[in-house]
Amino acid sequence: LNVTEEKFVLDTLAGCTEYKSILDVVVNAFYVQDGRYCPISERNLYIVICYLATFQLEEIGLQCFSRIVKSLDTAKMQQFLRFFFNDLYLNTWIKDEWSHFYDSVYVKENWIDPLLRWQPKVQQLIEKLTDKLSTRTTTVKTSRVTQPKKFNLTVPKPRAIPPPSPAPLSVLPKRQPVPPSIYKPPKERKQLEEIKTKNIQKAKVSIRSLACVCKGDPFSLNTLPVQGTLLTSRKIDPFLLQYLEVVWESVLAQYFEELTKRPQDLIDNIPIKLNTAAILREGALYQRKLEEELKRIENLQQGAGDPSEFLEWQKQMRGKDLEEQLTEIECRRLQGKLSYEEAVLAHQNVIQENKKKADLLRDEKAELMHLYAEKCLQEQKEMKELVEQVMEGHKNVKQVKAKIQEYKQQIVQQVCEESEELLRQALEEKEDENRKRYELIQQIRALESTPSIRHKFVDLTETGGHGLFGEMSIVELRERLALLKEAQKAAEEEKRDQIIHEKQAKEQLILDKLDQISQFRAELGRAAALKQEEKKKSQSGKRPMKDERILNLQKKIVEKTMERKKQAELL
C-alpha cells in the first residue's frame, strides 16, 4: 500500500477498535433481525461499513463510500444499509443503546443527526443496488432428469443417391474461323523482297559489264579504254591509277546508296489502315502544324526577328540564376548543419541540468521519507497506548451488556410480530391481484372464442380510406403505371434516335478528317517530290562539273605521258 492507503487502513482499524461497543450494538441487531442467514465470518465487514458510515462519511465523501460499497457483494450491502439507515431504528433503539455508553446529547448531535442528513443520499445508493439486484439474472438449479439411452440396433446402410438427371448442355454459338491471311506474310514484304532482288540483279549485271570492259578484276583499274584501244601493253602512272580508284569507289557508293533508299520510299508509301483514334489524332496533328505555320507567317509579316540572341541571353541568365540557387542551397545546407550541431549541444546541456535536478529531488525525497517514517512510528506508538486505554475502559461493562441483551430480545420480539403482520397483508394483496388477473384472462379468452367474419370483399375501384396523401385505388394505380411505361418507352425511343444522330455526325466528322488527311498527305508528297527533283537537278548539275574536272585531268595526264614518251624516244 502507498502512504495514504496505509494511513486510511490504520485509522479505520483504530476507530473500529475504539468504538467497538457501539458498533457491536448495530451488527448484533442486524444478525438477529435481517441477517439471520448471513455467515458470522463476515461480521468484521459489517463493522467496518458501519464505522465508515457513522464516523468517516463526512471526511471521505459519499462518492468514495459508494465506490467501497459497490466493490463488495451487492445483496449483502443493500441489506445492511437498508437496515442501518432506517429512520425508525436510528431515532429509537440505536439512539437509546448508544446513550448507555456516551452522553445522549453528544450521541444525537454528533452521530444520529449526521446519519439522518446523509440518509436521503444513501437511500439513492440503496435503490441503485436494488436495481442492480433486480436486473441480475439468477441461475436456477434444475433437478437431474433421467437420460434415456438408445437401443443398440443395427444401423441400416444408407441408400444410394440417384445421380441427377443431366442438364441440357448449352449450345455455344459457332465462332467465325480464323482468316488464313493471319498465317501468311504481308504482301508489302513480298513486294519489297522482289524489288530488292531486282536491284541486286541490276547491280550484278552492271558490275559484269564493267568487268568485261576491264578484262580482269572489276575493282582493279590496271587497264582503261583510251581512244578505242586498251592500254594493256604498258602500265598506267601510279598517281593516275590511285586517283581513278577513288573516283570509281565514290561512284559505286553513290549507286548503292540509291539502291538502299528506294525500298524506304516504298515503305513510306505503303497504305496503312487507320482506326477512329488514329484518324482523329493525325487530323489534330495536321491542324496543329497548320496553325503553327500560319502563326509563323503572321509573325514574319509583322517584322519578327531572330530570337537566337534573346535565347542566348535567356540561357545565360538562367545559368546565373541556377548558380545563385545552388549557392543559396549550399548556404542553407551549411546553416542547417550548424543549427543541428547547436541543437545537439543544447540537448546535452539540458540533460546535464535535468540530472542535477533529479539528484537534488532524490536527496530531498530521501530526507522527507526519513521524517515521515519517524512520524509514523510515533503515531503508531500513540495509537497503541490509546488502544490499551480503551481496552481497560471496556472491562467494567458486563452489567451494561446484560441489560442491552434483554432490551435487544424485546426489540427482536416486537420486530418479528410486525414482520408477520406485514407478511400477512402482502399475501392478501397478492391473492387479490391474482384473482383479478384470472378474471381478466377469462374475459379475454371469451372475446377470442367469439366467431368473426374472415371473408372480405374487395372493390378495386375504391380507395383504402387510410387518410394518406395521394391515396388511390388499384384501378387508378394500374392506369398510372401504364402511362408511366408509355412515357418511359417514348424516352427510350428519343434517346435511341439521339444516339443514331450522334453516331452519324461522328462518322461524318471522321470522313472529313480523312479527306483533310489525304489532302495534307498529297501536299506533303508533292513537296517531297519537288524537293527530290531539286536535289536530283543539283546533283546532275554538279556531276558534269566533276566529270569535266576528271576529263581535264585525264587530258593533262595523257599529254604528260606523250611528252614523257617523246623525251624517251629522243633519249
Side-chain angles (χ1 to χ4, degrees):
L1 298 175
N2 56 26
V3 177
T4 56
E5 292 176 350
E6 186 178 0
K7 184 176 182 302
F8 176 73
V9 171
L10 291 174
D11 293 340
T12 306
L13 179 60
C16 292
T17 308
E18 182 180 358
Y19 299 103
K20 186 175 184 300
S21 58
I22 62 175
L23 297 175
D24 287 340
V25 172
V26 179
V27 175
N28 291 334
F30 172 73
Y31 270 101
V32 171
Q33 186 173 352
D34 291 344
R36 289 190 297 273
Y37 302 105
C38 295
I40 200 68
S41 60
E42 295 176 352
R43 179 184 177 82
N44 292 328
L45 175 64
Y46 298 124
I47 289 172
V48 171
I49 297 299
C50 184
Y51 170 78
L52 293 176
T54 308
F55 300 99
Q56 296 290 329
L57 192 55
E58 294 283 346
E59 184 177 351
I60 64 176
L62 183 64
Q63 187 176 3
C64 184
F65 180 75
S66 301
R67 193 161 56 248
I68 293 170
V69 169
K70 289 178 181 178
S71 65
L72 301 172
D73 192 297
T74 307
K76 296 174 183 177
M77 289 299 103
Q78 186 260 355
Q79 194 175 9
F80 179 76
L81 291 176
R82 186 178 59 185
F83 171 80
F84 182 54
F85 279 91
N86 193 345
D87 295 340
L88 180 63
Y89 296 163
L90 289 172
N91 289 320
T92 55
W93 62 267
I94 293 177
K95 178 182 176 183
D96 296 336
E97 290 294 329
W98 285 358
S99 298
H100 291 297
F101 302 99
Y102 296 93
D103 187 51
S104 60
V105 179
Y106 180 81
V107 169
K108 186 177 186 306
E109 292 178 355
N110 294 328
W111 295 340
I112 300 299
D113 291 340
L115 287 172
L116 291 174
R117 278 199 311 272
W118 284 102
Q119 198 269 342
K121 295 183 179 179
V122 176
Q123 190 65 31
Q124 295 178 2
L125 177 61
I126 293 169
E127 291 176 359
K128 291 181 181 178
L129 296 176
T130 306
D131 295 336
K132 188 176 180 181
L133 285 174
S134 62
T135 56
R136 187 172 62 185
T137 57
T138 57
T139 58
V140 180
K141 293 184 179 180
T142 58
S143 60
R144 188 174 180 182
V145 182
T146 304
Q147 299 291 335
K149 293 184 179 179
K150 293 182 179 180
F151 294 103
N152 190 8
L153 300 176
T154 304
V155 180
K157 293 182 180 180
R159 295 182 180 179
I161 300 172
S165 59
L169 297 176
S170 59
V171 180
L172 295 175
K174 189 175 181 181
R175 302 295 179 184
Q176 294 182 358
V178 180
S181 60
I182 291 177
Y183 304 104
K184 294 180 181 180
K187 296 180 181 179
E188 289 79 8
R189 187 181 297 174
K190 191 175 180 181
Q191 292 176 2
L192 291 174
E193 292 292 336
E194 292 177 356
I195 293 167
K196 190 175 180 180
T197 52
K198 287 180 181 179
N199 292 333
I200 291 170
Q201 289 176 1
K202 288 180 181 179
K204 288 181 179 180
V205 169
S206 62
I207 290 169
R208 286 174 184 172
S209 62
L210 290 171
C212 293
V213 172
C214 294
K215 289 186 179 180
D217 190 4
F219 294 98
S220 65
L221 299 176
N222 292 328
T223 59
L224 285 173
V226 178
Q227 296 179 358
T229 61
L230 292 174
L231 299 175
T232 55
S233 61
R234 297 179 184 178
K235 290 184 179 181
I236 304 172
D237 190 3
F239 176 77
L240 181 60
L241 183 62
Q242 186 178 3
Y243 178 76
L244 291 174
E245 285 181 354
V246 171
V247 173
W248 178 247
E249 288 178 359
S250 64
V251 172
L252 286 176
Q254 187 176 1
Y255 179 71
F256 282 112
E257 185 178 358
E258 290 179 356
L259 289 178
T260 55
K261 281 183 180 179
R262 287 177 184 176
Q264 187 66 30
D265 297 337
L266 290 173
I267 290 170
D268 292 338
N269 294 326
I270 292 172
I272 297 171
K273 187 177 180 181
L274 299 176
N275 55 8
T276 305
I279 291 167
L280 295 175
R281 187 165 54 247
E282 192 170 358
L285 176 64
Y286 287 138
Q287 188 68 26
R288 189 166 59 251
K289 286 183 179 180
L290 181 61
E291 290 176 358
E292 290 176 357
E293 188 66 22
L294 291 173
K295 189 175 181 181
R296 188 179 67 81
I297 292 169
E298 288 179 0
N299 291 332
L300 291 175
Q301 288 178 356
Q302 292 175 3
D306 189 9
S308 60
E309 296 179 358
F310 171 73
L311 293 174
E312 186 67 25
W313 173 81
Q314 189 179 20
K315 185 177 180 182
Q316 292 177 0
M317 296 305 292
R318 284 181 179 174
K320 290 180 181 179
D321 294 339
L322 181 62
E323 289 178 358
E324 291 177 358
Q325 289 178 2
L326 291 174
T327 52
E328 187 175 356
I329 290 167
E330 186 67 20
C331 291
R332 287 180 183 175
R333 187 182 68 81
L334 295 174
Q335 288 175 1
K337 192 173 182 181
L338 180 60
S339 62
Y340 173 74
E341 297 294 336
E342 291 176 353
V344 171
L345 291 174
H347 184 64
Q348 291 177 356
N349 294 331
V350 169
I351 290 171
Q352 291 178 0
E353 291 178 0
N354 290 335
K355 284 183 179 178
K356 291 179 182 179
K357 291 179 182 179
D359 294 336
L360 292 173
L361 290 173
R362 203 176 291 113
D363 296 336
E364 292 178 359
K365 186 178 179 181
E367 292 177 1
L368 292 172
M369 291 297 292
H370 183 66
L371 295 173
Y372 183 73
E374 292 179 354
K375 185 179 178 181
C376 287
L377 290 173
Q378 186 67 27
E379 289 180 354
Q380 287 179 2
K381 289 179 181 179
E382 294 177 356
M383 191 64 66
K384 286 180 181 178
E385 293 176 357
L386 182 62
V387 169
E388 290 176 358
Q389 292 176 5
V390 172
M391 293 298 292
E392 289 177 358
H394 287 303
K395 290 179 181 178
N396 299 321
V397 293
K398 291 183 179 180
Q399 297 177 358
V400 177
K401 286 183 178 179
K403 292 181 181 180
I404 291 169
Q405 189 68 25
E406 292 177 359
Y407 184 70
K408 287 179 181 177
Q409 289 177 359
Q410 294 176 2
I411 291 170
V412 167
Q413 188 176 1
Q414 182 181 358
V415 170
C416 288
E417 293 176 356
E418 292 178 356
S419 62
E420 288 177 359
E421 183 66 23
L422 293 172
L423 182 61
R424 186 179 59 78
Q425 292 178 1
L427 288 172
E428 290 178 356
E429 292 176 356
K430 190 70 175 177
E431 287 178 358
D432 294 338
E433 185 180 355
N434 291 333
R435 183 174 51 76
K436 292 178 181 179
R437 190 178 296 171
Y438 179 74
E439 291 177 356
L440 183 62
I441 290 170
Q442 292 294 331
Q443 293 176 3
I444 292 170
R445 288 180 178 175
L447 290 174
E448 288 179 353
S449 62
T450 56
S452 60
I453 299 171
R454 296 184 180 180
H455 299 286
K456 187 176 181 181
F457 299 98
V458 180
D459 189 4
L460 298 179
T461 58
E462 291 183 357
T463 58
H466 301 294
L468 301 175
F469 291 109
E471 192 173 5
M472 64 184 74
S473 62
I474 295 176
V475 175
E476 186 179 358
L477 179 62
R478 289 174 180 173
E479 290 178 357
R480 290 195 180 187
L481 287 175
L483 292 174
L484 186 62
K485 287 181 181 178
E486 291 177 359
Q488 188 176 3
K489 190 174 181 181
E492 288 179 357
E493 292 293 335
E494 186 179 355
K495 191 173 182 180
R496 189 178 292 109
D497 295 339
Q498 184 180 357
I499 291 169
I500 292 169
H501 290 317
E502 290 178 357
K503 190 174 180 181
Q504 291 176 356
K506 188 175 180 181
E507 290 177 355
Q508 186 64 33
L509 177 64
I510 291 170
L511 292 174
D512 296 341
K513 289 288 183 183
L514 282 173
D515 295 338
Q516 187 179 3
I517 290 167
S518 61
Q519 290 177 6
F520 274 107
R521 285 183 177 178
E523 292 295 330
L524 291 174
R526 292 193 198 97
L530 292 172
K531 193 174 181 180
Q532 190 72 18
E533 288 178 0
E534 290 177 358
K535 190 175 180 181
K536 287 181 179 179
K537 287 179 181 179
S538 62
Q539 288 179 358
S540 62
K542 289 179 181 179
R543 282 176 184 172
M545 294 288 293
K546 291 180 181 179
D547 294 341
E548 289 176 359
R549 290 176 62 187
I550 292 169
L551 293 173
N552 291 330
L553 287 172
Q554 289 178 356
K555 288 179 180 178
K556 288 180 181 180
I557 290 167
V558 171
E559 290 176 358
K560 292 291 183 183
T561 53
M562 296 298 289
E563 289 179 359
R564 185 171 52 79
K565 289 178 182 179
K566 289 179 180 178
Q567 288 179 1
E569 290 176 355
L570 292 173
L571 291 173

